[in-house]
Amino acid sequence: VQLQASGGGLVQAGGSLTLSCAASGRSTFSSKTMAWFRQAPGNEREFVGSMSGNGDQILYADSVKGRFTISRDNAKRMAYLQMNSLKPEDTAVYYCGVRQVWTSSYYSAWQYGSWGQGTLVTVSS
């Protein structure tokens, strides 16, 4: 599967933004655990959240819990990240990925792949 994130932009602190992740290719999208990661300049890629293929398992980083919501539409082969109450520290390039390796370290970027081009989110104070 190939992924492409979109929907980034410039938003003021306290604002909202919704990112989209479009999947293409022959793989069965509905069986894939999708995740959102972000990477700020000079930092490692950081786990934001993930959702299992059927949506029954959803995980969030503590830093975004209660503010961000992950969803997906398997029929459209799309995943989404709704971001509310944005903070300047949320500024980063956001990527969507597919989980490819299964260990207890679900938050580690090396377990995910099919990264497409990310989308930049800038939150101004």
Side-chain angles (χ1 to χ4, degrees), residues 25-101:
R26 301 176 65 87
S27 297
T28 304
F29 177 76
S30 60
S31 67
K32 308 289 186 185
T33 290
M34 302 294 301
W36 288 94
F37 279 74
R38 65 187 182 186
Q39 189 165 17
N43 290 356
E44 293 186 352
R45 198 163 291 191
E46 174 191 25
F47 177 81
V48 173
S50 65
M51 175 178 275
S52 59
N54 63 5
D56 65 346
Q57 185 178 40
I58 305 173
L59 299 170
Y60 293 102
D62 287 343
S63 58
V64 307
K65 204 171 291 184
R67 299 189 298 122
F68 290 11
T69 302
I70 293 175
S71 62
R72 63 190 295 164
D73 184 334
N74 287 337
K76 295 182 178 179
R77 298 170 63 87
M78 296 289 296
Y80 305 96
L81 181 65
Q82 171 69 42
M83 304 184 295
N84 298 326
S85 303
L86 282 161
K87 305 175 181 180
E89 51 263 43
D90 294 319
T91 295
V93 177
Y94 284 70
Y95 299 88
C96 51
V98 171
R99 192 160 187 185
Q100 298 177 336
V101 178

